[in-house]
Amino acid sequence: MNTIKYEIKTRTGEIRLPEPLGFGQIFTDHVFEMDYNPSKGWQNFIIKPLSEMSVHPATMFIHYGQALFEGMKAFRHKNNDVVLFRPDKHFVRLNNSARRLCMPEVDVNFVTEALKELVSIEKEWIPRKEGEALYIRPFMFGLDPVLGVKPAQSYKFIILLSPVGAYYPEGFKPVKILVQDDYVRAVRKGMGECKTPGNYAASLLASEMARKQGYTQVLWLDGVEQKYIEEVGTMNIFITFKDEVATPKLTGGILPGITRMSVLHILKDWGMNVTERLISLDELVTRFDKGEVEGVFGTGTAAIISSVGELKYKDRQMIINKGEPGQLAHKLFDTLTGMHSGKITDPYGWLVPVQQEVAVS
Ligand SMILES: *Cc1c(COP(=O)(O)O)cnc(C)c1O
């Protein structure tokens, strides 16, 4: 039995959230932490006040990037119930990243319970306005202070919580995406499937270049031939063709999104013709020219659904659906955010309630 130690700091002042909330700017009072070493496994389970972290300058992850993270959300319903969206799937994916990076796996049930405890302690931090949420950032890193390229022996796992604002405070606006073929984010059989820091470092230059040209994000092509579309920034991508909703199949270079998985499920449930397959940029451009591309949208925990209004590749500027949000993207956004906020009942059992009472030991 893993017992969590509680070191709870009582707040003196009221919680004041900044306006606008933004993303990942502020953090709640407490974190969950645990440590790993090869002889004892995971140990020192604790919910404690958030504080600065002091590590040795030789700490392995700083040098060789042996680290991973997850990103999910908790939502507050009108009646004040708090729910998590598919936390089990997120922790399973965390374990998949861990195996690829030679890091220890976690017990999915235990960390889910620990997360529920933490969220219920920090319940007052969950913002109340439409579209706002508590962003949950579990992460793990190699801790040994040794400058050798090999897997670390000891690890730290932390869950950090951050109240975040609505992604579309002014309504559901389409984004402009630049197709990138000068750089790639990840390659098949590399680490593209893992939420690991290096992938995001690899994406920064192209993202900055896109931003300078007035584009929100980058559409990545496959790492081998730069022929097939893979994903957008930190979102998976879907194309609504005339007779089919298609998304790139998971070939190893793409992050397998939980929102992607949920959207595939919902679309099948709606009786639509959904496929996971290779989609070449050529096909996308050719079919756009024939008027067969009805919509393009991204899926991910941060934005949930993001409608794409423009795709630019070299000198080609493709305006999708007159730059207006696609109908399907809109319907999916309303469905998923409706489930999150409790306006729509969740028919799939994806929402996991956080218990109200906490036994403080
Ligand atoms: C997190 C992430 C996604 C979306 O995954 P979700 O589980 O839906 O949030 C897509 N692509 C990348 C690169 C990501 O990091």
Side-chain angles (χ1 to χ4, degrees):
M1 201 29 218
N2 298 329
T3 335
I4 301 173
K5 204 174 132 196
Y6 293 83
E7 195 182 298
I8 306 298
K9 181 180 71 184
T10 7
R11 269 196 86 82
T12 41
E14 203 182 309
I15 293 170
R16 268 203 212 94
L17 298 177
E19 203 46 83
L21 253 179
F23 183 84
Q25 305 285 323
I26 51 158
F27 301 94
T28 71
D29 294 326
H30 299 89
V31 295
F32 169 79
E33 267 194 40
M34 60 183 186
D35 301 311
Y36 180 91
N37 75 48
S39 56
K40 297 209 170 123
W42 287 110
Q43 55 170 348
N44 307 337
F45 314 105
I46 185 166
I47 291 177
K48 62 172 204 182
L50 169 71
S51 65
E52 304 270 303
M53 202 167 62
S54 155
V55 293
H56 191 284
T59 301
M60 271 187 158
F61 81 91
I62 306 175
H63 299 270
Y64 308 121
Q66 201 192 14
L68 56 77
F69 66 94
E70 265 304 321
M72 63 180 124
K73 279 177 174 173
F75 303 92
R76 182 195 293 281
H77 287 180
K78 275 271 173 304
N79 63 2
N80 269 331
D81 280 354
V82 175
V83 295
L84 304 170
F85 188 72
R86 311 192 83 175
D88 48 328
K89 297 287 181 216
H90 284 277
F91 286 125
V92 165
R93 186 171 67 188
L94 183 142
N95 279 342
N96 295 341
S97 299
R99 282 193 303 277
R100 177 65 179 82
L101 290 153
C102 295
M103 297 171 80
E105 294 182 46
V106 300
D107 178 332
V108 170
N109 290 327
F110 174 67
V111 289
T112 306
E113 288 311 308
L115 172 61
K116 286 183 191 171
E117 294 282 283
L118 179 65
V119 170
S120 77
I121 287 167
E122 302 292 62
K123 196 168 173 238
E124 283 316 303
W125 281 95
I126 308 176
R128 290 178 156 77
K129 285 195 222 108
E130 175 130 13
E132 295 179 334
L134 185 69
Y135 183 76
I136 299 164
R137 169 55 60 90
F139 62 107
M140 192 202 298
F141 50 90
L143 208 49
D144 305 7
V146 181
L147 291 182
V149 181
K150 58 175 189 270
Q153 296 280 299
S154 52
Y155 295 87
K156 194 173 267 302
F157 174 95
I158 301 178
I159 304 177
L160 189 61
L161 305 178
S162 171
V164 295
Y167 210 82
Y168 302 103
E170 293 121 43
F172 192 55
K173 277 217 188 104
V175 295
K176 292 165 69 180
I177 305 287
L178 187 66
V179 182
Q180 173 59 256
D181 66 356
D182 286 334
Y183 301 98
V184 297
R185 185 193 85 96
V187 291
R188 249 170 254 172
K189 303 188 183 180
M191 300 195 304
E193 293 177 311
C194 306
K195 271 199 180 310
T196 186
N199 289 338
Y200 304 85
S203 75
L204 295 177
L205 179 58
S207 304
E208 280 308 293
M209 286 163 61
R211 200 160 300 147
K212 278 186 193 138
Q213 294 179 54
Y215 289 81
T216 324
Q217 287 203 14
V218 164
L219 172 62
W220 297 106
L221 301 178
D222 77 273
V224 181
E225 300 174 87
Q226 288 86 69
K227 181 173 170 191
Y228 300 103
I229 65 169
E230 295 226 307
E231 59 181 317
V232 171
T234 52
M235 292 189 291
N236 294 109
I237 189 167
F238 285 74
I239 317 286
T240 315
F241 292 113
K242 257 194 148 41
D243 46 5
E244 173 199 19
V245 187
T247 191
K249 74 170 180 189
L250 303 175
T251 50
I254 298 173
L255 199 288
I258 309 303
T259 321
R260 173 187 184 277
M261 182 195 284
S262 308
V263 162
L264 284 170
H265 192 103
I266 293 171
L267 292 177
K268 283 176 194 157
D269 203 28
W270 288 349
M272 305 196 70
N273 176 30
V274 207
T275 54
E276 294 174 69
R277 63 175 176 88
L278 293 176
I279 305 167
S280 68
L281 183 60
D282 258 2
E283 174 186 352
L284 184 59
V285 174
T286 312
R287 295 186 71 178
F288 173 82
D289 288 342
K290 287 191 199 155
E292 292 177 5
V293 175
E294 292 177 352
V296 177
F297 59 92
T299 65
T301 296
I304 316 295
I305 302 289
S306 190
S307 184
V308 177
E310 179 188 331
L311 276 176
K312 189 170 185 229
Y313 176 59
K314 299 199 190 293
D315 295 331
R316 272 306 301 273
Q317 194 179 25
M318 293 178 274
I319 306 292
I320 317 286
N321 194 38
K322 304 190 182 78
E324 297 292 317
Q327 242 181 22
L328 189 62
H330 219 287
K331 194 173 160 198
L332 282 165
F333 182 76
D334 289 346
T335 303
L336 278 165
T337 55
M339 276 190 232
H340 294 159
S341 69
K343 272 192 204 149
I344 298 176
T345 29
D346 159 27
Y348 308 114
W350 290 342
L351 300 181
V352 174
V354 169
Q355 315 90 308
Q356 306 305 310
E357 325 84 73
V358 189
V360 177
S361 59

